[in-house]
Amino acid sequence: MKVAKRTFDAVIVGAGGAGLRAALQLSEAGLKTAVLTKVFPTRSHTVAAQGGVAASLGNSTEDNWHWHMYDTVKGSDWLGDQDAIEFMVKKANEVVVELEHYGMPFDRTDNGKIYQRPFGGHSQNYGQTPVSRSCAAADRTGHAMLHALYQRNVRANTQFFVEWMAMDLIRNADGDVLGVTAMEMETGEVSIFHAKATIFATGGAGRIYYSSTNAFINTGDGVGMAARAGIPLEDMEFWQFHPTGVAGAGVLITEGVRGEGGILRNAAGERFMERYAPNLKDLASRDIVSRSMVTEINEGRGCGTEKDHVLLDITHLSPETIMKRLPGIREIAIQFAGVDPIKAPIPVVPTCHYQMGGIPTNYKGQVIVPKDGNPNVPVAGFYAAGECACASVHGANRLGTNSLLDLLVFGKSAGETVVADFQSGQLTLKPLPDDAADVSLARIARLETQTNGVEVNDVRLDMQRVMQKHAGVFRFADMLKEGVTKILEVAERAKHTQIKDKSKVWNTARTEALELDNLIEVAKATMISAEARKESRGAHVRDDAIDCAETPNGRDDKNWLKHTLWYSEGNRLDYKPVNLQPMSADVEPIALAKRTY
Amino acid sequence: MTLNRGRVRWQCRRALLELDLVFTRFLERHFDRLTDGQLADLDDLLLVEDHDLWGMINGSRPVENDRWKEMVELLRAG
């Protein structure tokens, strides 16, 4: 079957923060750049980021990138690659100031500098006291960032393909990436986007869980596409549960609430974080806070008739502070929890929030895979940035405000690498294989002809329930083992999804079926990687991992200080070393230590 | 011009979970019964930025255009 073909220097999939930042780099360098996006760019999930972006500007308190690097490595529970982390924290001031010049309306101090607030896990002097490192634009940091970047891209003539769903990665016999296939939702037609460089910036797949803070668009499309095309997925067992999702709804209450003085309390009204993290208390790293909350609930100190949540209390803050610094929080609490936080505390539970793992990349944004004994060989023509990628800067646990930093730094870096490779003549338009669109056309054809199949909504819900029950905040050996069997059963059923509406034009049922194919890859990767990792580290916490001198907090560096690589084909697992060596020779590695706050 | 219902339905996918939850309820209960005129009003409302739309639904922000009022009421009521 003949399909339409479009040719570009570069094609970017995803128009959130990372995609727009990468696109800007390319378009401003004069590359003919196409950005494919399921939704209008400024409706990407980056809009939801409230808290801020980390940079050691030192405007509010003394700060420097060495401290930020220490916090990030420690936050990652030493699973982060220290070269990529050094790169990110050193670039932070540059990308934030750049954004300021693009017109981003950051909050200001009285003397006109960017206002900075404290945020969980960020400290002065190597873990001593909280630092003010987060740069924010009220509670609309992501929104303001995305708008600033979108406007800049319009000026730079980036070509947007809005409401196009990327379907599959195109690779040749050598494994080089030659572009993607994509479906235009308006017509239902599949096209080939042939390019010298392909950048994935598709965000996370938080919708694999039943309880998630993520918008419905977060279906891990790039991660699923990469996995189906034979690229391994790195560290997919690590999912951050945000401590404060509104109980029952999942809607996120930003950590900024605790930055401004919010306190977590159990059924007795006790500020329980004082017991778990005596120094940083409610501002300890997210995984520590989530685990402490679940422990309180599991030990019977939860709140409500079911004792299934804890309370986030800001009643001691003045209404003026709440209105000025945390304007959106009140409305969320009223709408989804039925309480006015000025008068009563908000019921919260840890909720799936962020995917630490993803498509393996280096700090340049190049996608890397094991080949001929080298674990980190770039795939020609393929780059990734943002939540879909694993650089790996967040390791086993991400610090708040480091995700907006990640997408700026690595979006830009991936863009810079493509521009450099393009200008040096390394990137060429390689011939397309004859069957370039066959996989995608077969997927569409199957959906058109499937009979006696299963409903997309049913399979998605089954997947979400299995993930929530078997791979949540606390993990148990027998539950994980059972979870693997169950998720493989769900994946088998997902091969037979059926849609009633067979129309081509604006068929949202078909789009949702294609999204489910991506979610399922992520769910399998998560469960299988989690079952195999026999230790606790960061967000991956196993009940059977013993806290002793040899394995502090259950972390087993002797056997498990390594990155997981999961291959979709055969559900095969491989591992590769963590890079404990910073980028610069004169920067000391952050030595392994027990992670306490 | 008649709007394509599928397109409008897709554009109810938003950047914020808050809105996804509100729209899920709306799509189940009201969407299929909307008249062409109501559908056009909804289509116009969907051009509003997510935070502003959410503000109108939760009442923290006035509904700036009379044309949107009926749809905002339906979204609020669930």
Side-chain angles (χ1 to χ4, degrees), chain A residues 308-371:
Chain A
D308 59 356
H309 59 265
V310 298
L311 295 171
L312 176 59
D313 186 4
I314 53 171
T315 55
H316 53 288
L317 301 183
S318 72
E320 291 74 33
T321 303
I322 294 172
M323 302 300 225
K324 184 167 175 238
R325 296 276 184 220
L326 308 161
I329 297 313
R330 192 168 172 228
E331 285 72 31
I332 287 172
I334 291 169
Q335 178 88 14
F336 296 106
V339 298
D340 181 346
I342 291 174
K343 297 175 192 145
I346 312 164
V348 290
V349 287
T351 302
C352 173
H353 183 53
Y354 187 86
Q355 167 192 312
M356 263 82 69
I359 303 166
T361 68
N362 56 22
Y363 72 90
K364 294 176 174 174
Q366 295 170 309
V367 175
I368 49 175
V369 297
K371 196 176 177 185

Side-chain angles (χ1 to χ4, degrees), chain A residues 131-150:
Chain A
V131 71
S132 294
R133 188 177 284 151
S134 168
C135 313
D139 62 347
R140 290 197 184 186
T141 310
H143 169 91
M145 182 179 285
L146 209 56
H147 276 259
L149 290 171
Y150 179 64

Side-chain angles (χ1 to χ4, degrees), chain A residues 38 43-45 47 140 143 147 163 185 207 212 214-217 251 331-332 336 506 508 515, chain B residues 4 6-7 9-11 13-18 20-21 24 46-47 49-52 54 58 60:
Chain A
K38 292 197 290 193
R43 272 182 224 148
S44 305
H45 194 49
V47 161
R140 290 197 184 186
H143 169 91
H147 276 259
E163 292 164 340
M185 294 184 194
R207 300 305 309 178
S212 171
N214 285 198
F216 291 0
I217 46 175
V251 176
E331 285 72 31
I332 287 172
F336 296 106
W506 289 112
T508 55
E515 288 177 328
Chain B
N4 185 291
R7 180 176 71 76
R9 178 182 278 273
W10 178 252
Q11 287 172 354
R13 279 269 201 114
R14 311 301 293 191
L16 303 177
L17 177 64
E18 289 86 326
D20 282 338
L21 294 173
T24 299
L46 289 171
L47 294 174
E49 291 296 342
D50 282 313
H51 288 284
D52 296 341
W54 170 233
N58 69 39
S60 66

